[in-house]
Amino acid sequence: MKTTKTTKTSKTRIPKSSRLAAELLENCPLNQEDAARLVLEIQEALGPLARTKDRAILMERMRRLIRAGQRELNEPSITVSFARAAAASLKARAGRRPVTLRDLRYYMRRIAQEGGFGRRPLRAITTAECRTLLRSVFGRSKHSYRKARAIMHSVFAYGLRQDWCSRNPVDGIDTPEIPEVPIEPLSIADVHRLEIAARDPDHRAMQLSLHLMLYCGVRPNEVQRIDPARDIDWKHREVLIRPQTSKTGGGRIVPLRKASRVRSDCRETIPRNWSKKWKALRHAAGFRRWRADVCRHTFASYHAQRFRNLPQLQIEMGHRSCDLLRSRYVMARLGQEASEFWK
């Protein structure tokens, strides 16, 4: 009897996981090798976050990285240069006071001119670039650094609202702290020199202005915007600083102390060419060097010492809190001078 041998054909068995991977990539132009390379690149991009043995955690972190990249790709690519964004931001604030606009233009111009920064696309500028520029251009003065940082931040904030950038790189830059130091007020002799000079016929037009700065604490820029006929109540001895007049945009009412010191024929006078006349008055009183806002500092220092009422002084100065008053104007040694100042 003839026996027939049957030969079994052995088939190569494909692992189930490989078959599933092939099915998942069926409609994708990438093969399994390409997919594996991409996974390794994602793992490398995660850095320390990829160091986990938990498969679910690793998958979730990879998904988050992919979603972040997707958002970046979907963002509109439109942008403008920093200089153009700064000009548009300035135009949007055209209603601000001339002094404010002058400062904005000055700082924006200095920022834009540094190393071609103004030509850089707003969306491409990094925090490191902004920090380097601020340090190199404004690093010598903490006040200038703070102001430049705030103005640069405002340009990017405007750009964010216009979809010209996806973030504000200045957010990552710390604002330097500036310690408050006591400010020396004018001496009583200095005050007398100014008052004597203001009685001279050549400078009498500045008598009301000097009084408002010395005895009401009104800022020089605020004085220039006061309308005496409308804003000063001589009967009730009050000065109204309107919001559009105030530096900070908030109105306040200040007592008009020692009102009798102002001549009746000078009570309605805030002269034109005010800055020029104010400088001439100081020179006539013998001052060649002058500290900005020193009359306001003198008012605050002697007020704090004489009346011992910081909340009231805060209201009259237009400050948001008493902290600045405590650090700058409280001086125990001014007792005798304060009494003579308000006498």
Side-chain angles (χ1 to χ4, degrees):
M1 188 173 177
K2 199 171 182 180
T3 59
T4 306
K5 289 185 178 180
T6 57
T7 305
K8 291 185 179 180
T9 304
S10 61
K11 295 183 179 179
T12 304
R13 302 188 67 181
I14 302 174
K16 185 177 180 180
S17 59
S18 297
R19 291 200 305 272
L20 179 60
E23 291 175 7
L24 291 173
L25 293 171
E26 184 178 358
N27 296 320
C28 178
L30 304 179
N31 56 34
Q32 293 184 40
E33 186 179 345
D34 296 332
R37 285 199 180 98
L38 283 176
V39 169
L40 289 175
E41 289 177 13
I42 294 172
Q43 186 177 21
E44 184 179 350
L46 283 172
L49 292 176
R51 295 171 189 166
T52 175
K53 295 182 179 180
D54 192 311
R55 181 167 170 264
I57 291 177
L58 183 58
M59 288 281 287
E60 176 57 27
R61 289 174 180 175
M62 287 184 171
R63 288 191 181 103
R64 286 172 59 189
L65 184 63
I66 292 170
R67 288 195 293 268
Q70 183 181 15
R71 285 195 298 269
E72 183 70 24
L73 286 174
N74 290 338
E75 281 184 351
S77 58
I78 184 171
T79 189
V80 297
S81 66
F82 178 88
R84 184 176 170 186
S89 170
L90 189 63
K91 186 177 180 180
R93 289 180 274 189
R96 298 288 185 89
R97 296 189 182 92
V99 174
T100 302
L101 293 176
R102 183 192 64 196
D103 283 353
L104 288 171
R105 280 192 292 268
Y106 170 77
Y107 278 91
M108 287 177 181
R109 185 170 59 249
R110 287 196 65 186
I111 292 169
Q113 289 175 348
E114 179 65 18
F117 194 86
R119 298 190 297 273
R120 294 275 291 126
L122 202 67
R123 191 180 295 278
I125 296 174
T126 65
T127 298
E129 286 180 272
C130 295
R131 185 183 291 109
T132 300
L133 185 146
L134 289 171
R135 286 175 176 172
S136 63
V137 181
F138 306 100
R140 293 185 179 182
S141 168
K142 287 186 177 181
H143 288 279
S144 296
Y145 187 100
R146 284 171 65 98
K147 197 163 190 176
R149 182 199 175 279
I151 291 173
M152 182 185 283
H153 187 279
S154 71
V155 173
F156 282 100
Y158 183 82
L160 269 172
R161 295 194 294 272
Q162 308 305 315
D163 285 333
W164 292 338
C165 57
S166 55
R167 65 188 186 88
N168 193 328
V170 185
D171 283 337
I173 301 175
D174 294 333
T175 303
E177 292 292 332
I178 300 179
E180 295 292 346
V181 295
I183 297 175
E184 289 291 332
L186 293 171
S187 67
I188 299 302
D190 290 338
V191 171
H192 288 164
R193 285 160 58 194
L194 286 167
E195 291 183 323
I196 291 170
R199 297 190 195 112
D200 188 280
D202 292 338
H203 307 290
R204 193 172 293 163
M206 289 296 294
Q207 194 173 102
L208 173 60
S209 299
L210 178 64
H211 191 89
L212 291 172
M213 290 185 288
L214 272 177
Y215 298 109
C216 303
V218 183
R219 299 178 179 93
N221 288 332
E222 294 172 340
V223 170
Q224 298 177 67
R225 294 190 285 265
I226 285 177
D227 180 355
R230 183 184 61 163
D231 299 334
I232 299 181
D233 185 344
W234 292 98
K235 181 179 179 181
H236 298 95
R237 297 191 176 192
E238 290 180 339
V239 181
L240 172 61
I241 310 298
R242 299 177 183 273
Q244 58 269 33
T245 300
S246 170
K247 174 187 175 182
T248 56
R252 66 188 191 276
I253 296 177
V254 183
L256 187 65
R257 298 183 179 88
K258 303 181 74 169
S260 60
R261 300 290 290 272
V262 182
R263 289 170 55 104
S264 58
D265 60 337
C266 299
R267 293 186 175 189
E268 302 295 324
T269 307
I270 301 290
R272 295 183 179 180
N273 297 325
W274 191 91
S275 297
K276 184 177 180 181
K277 293 182 183 297
W278 174 219
K279 185 176 181 180
L281 172 61
R282 300 197 309 262
H283 280 202
F287 292 95
R288 295 296 177 264
R289 298 181 63 185
W290 189 258
R291 288 169 289 156
D293 281 342
V294 70
C295 288
R296 178 173 163 86
H297 299 321
T298 299
F299 162 80
S301 297
Y302 290 138
H303 187 296
Q305 183 62 39
R306 178 70 179 84
F307 300 110
R308 307 297 179 94
N309 190 340
L310 291 186
Q312 178 62 33
L313 178 57
Q314 173 196 337
I315 294 172
E316 294 183 27
M317 295 281 284
H319 286 181
R320 294 180 181 178
S321 72
C322 292
D323 295 340
L324 193 63
L325 303 178
R326 291 190 183 95
S327 62
R328 281 192 171 187
Y329 303 118
V330 178
M331 299 180 184
R333 64 179 180 78
L334 294 179
Q336 182 62 36
E337 290 91 338
S339 298
E340 189 172 347
F341 182 81
W342 293 110
K343 185 171 60 176

